[in-house]
Amino acid sequence: EVALDRYRWMFRATPLRFSHSWRDYLAADLFDGVVARALPAGDVFVGFGGRARRCFHRARMLGYRRLVLESATSHVANVWRQHALATRVHAFETSWLNAAQYRRTLEEYAMADEIVVTSEYSRESFLRAGVPESKLRRRVQPVASRFAPPPRRTERRGFRVVYVGRLQVTKGIPVLLDAFARLRDSSAELVLVGGCATNAMERYIKRRIAADPRVRVRPGDPLAELHQADVLVHPTYEDGLGLGPLEALAAGVPAIVTEDTGMKEYVVPGVNGHVVPTGDDHRFRSLLPALKRC
């Protein structure tokens, strides 16, 4: 953290502050470089997707026997396709994934001896891209024990929809807002738990809140909001898994998720939620009232 502080001025006082993807790329590259230079001798190195290339090169030089890559997303080619779809429909914000990051991630895949994925959705995307099955390992994502139904549910009026995660176009935020706007229920409320990555999204959210005061944004721990939620919506265009909806299900909150997230394997349609076509705000809208909790 101390080593990275010297570079923070670049992200605040240069044109980088206007480029979402290049900020992410360079921040990841700086982190990767700092860790690589400090890497001691060892046997197995575990790196995070998109920020492990330099560490992998350094680990090989140091004689590491095995390189493991943790992939939080599906295969980067699938991410590229899905993000292109999202940003084509909602063009006011670009993806965090640019061509340089795409190439770097492919290099990491090639160098890794093992790639860890957190869902069948992710695993299948790697297989479709030609990654050998023997190179993939599935890991089940645990949920903190505190994410459980409340001992006693507080009585309240109204219908509350919650989203947990980054507020980005590629996460389907405009899809959710459009679906909620069509919900003609003055007692309904939409709570977005998360933060914006770009000024464009901040401006967009402010306009939507001004147009619909039933919408509010709250950063921080989502547990209190989940305990008051009737349904969680996960409208993403791509997610390897999605911790927010996984925590919601553990807390007893039904979830509506898209076909392009690993979360779909945890949802039993009509029992604890529904799986809908990606980008379909009309389908989200039609299912919201059906999942109101008792």
Side-chain angles (χ1 to χ4, degrees):
E1 186 72 20
V2 173
L4 289 172
D5 277 341
R6 76 180 74 174
Y7 301 106
R8 294 191 190 281
W9 66 272
M10 292 193 308
F11 301 95
R12 294 193 297 265
T14 72
L16 282 175
R17 69 185 186 275
F18 301 116
S19 176
H20 183 197
S21 62
W22 278 108
R23 283 201 315 270
D24 276 21
Y25 175 87
L26 291 174
D29 195 55
L30 287 169
F31 172 85
D32 191 15
V34 169
V35 175
R37 288 191 293 273
L39 197 64
D43 186 46
V44 178
F45 178 82
V46 180
F48 193 77
R51 55 192 67 206
R53 181 180 59 183
R54 293 178 184 272
C55 287
F56 277 3
H57 281 297
R58 179 63 176 163
R60 285 296 189 213
M61 290 176 58
L62 292 172
Y64 277 64
R65 178 182 57 85
R66 193 165 182 79
L67 304 181
V68 180
L69 186 72
E70 290 271 352
S71 179
T73 69
S74 60
H75 190 281
V76 70
N78 185 61
V79 179
W80 184 273
R81 285 191 297 270
Q82 292 303 117
H83 283 201
L85 173 62
T87 54
R88 185 165 61 247
V89 177
H90 308 285
F92 66 87
E93 184 182 59
T94 59
S95 167
W96 55 264
L97 179 62
N98 60 19
Q101 179 76 326
Y102 184 95
R103 292 191 297 269
R104 178 168 65 184
T105 305
L106 288 179
E107 288 183 44
E108 292 173 351
Y109 293 165
M111 286 188 286
D113 299 300
E114 181 178 286
I115 300 173
V116 180
V117 297
T118 56
S119 67
E120 285 304 301
Y121 172 75
S122 288
R123 192 179 76 88
E124 290 169 5
S125 74
F126 277 90
L127 293 175
R128 287 195 304 271
V131 177
E133 186 172 7
S134 60
K135 196 171 184 174
L136 302 174
R137 177 167 63 87
R138 169 70 193 273
R139 176 171 57 79
V140 176
Q141 177 66 46
V143 179
S145 59
R146 68 192 188 90
F147 286 95
R152 183 172 55 189
R153 193 169 297 158
T154 304
E155 291 295 328
R156 58 177 177 76
R157 298 179 61 187
F159 176 56
R160 181 171 296 183
V161 182
V162 172
Y163 165 86
V164 176
R166 287 173 295 173
L167 307 183
Q168 293 178 330
V169 160
T170 55
K171 295 294 186 181
I173 295 302
V175 178
L176 173 55
L177 287 167
D178 288 346
F180 185 77
R182 293 189 176 94
L183 188 64
R184 302 303 181 187
D185 180 351
S186 60
S187 68
E189 181 182 22
L190 171 60
V191 183
L192 305 174
V193 183
C196 299
T198 67
N199 292 332
M201 178 56 75
E202 286 184 2
R203 291 192 295 269
Y204 175 79
I205 292 291
K206 287 179 180 178
R207 289 197 301 270
R208 297 302 297 256
I209 291 176
D212 190 346
R214 299 176 302 166
V215 179
R216 65 184 178 90
V217 177
R218 191 187 76 77
D221 190 337
L223 185 57
E225 297 295 346
L226 291 177
H227 281 170
Q228 293 294 316
D230 290 298
V231 60
L232 178 131
V233 178
H234 184 55
T236 185
Y237 279 82
E238 185 284 329
D239 248 310
L241 182 61
L243 189 57
L246 196 62
E247 292 170 341
L249 292 182
V253 181
I256 305 176
V257 306
T258 68
E259 293 174 341
D260 284 285
T261 170
M263 272 305 304
K264 64 184 180 181
E265 69 187 78
Y266 292 93
V267 173
V268 181
V271 177
N272 66 348
H274 283 282
V275 180
V276 304
T278 304
D280 190 342
D281 61 293
H282 290 277
R283 185 66 175 140
F284 277 116
R285 156 65 185 86
S286 67
L287 288 172
L288 288 176
L291 288 178
K292 184 171 181 178
R293 295 195 316 189
C294 297

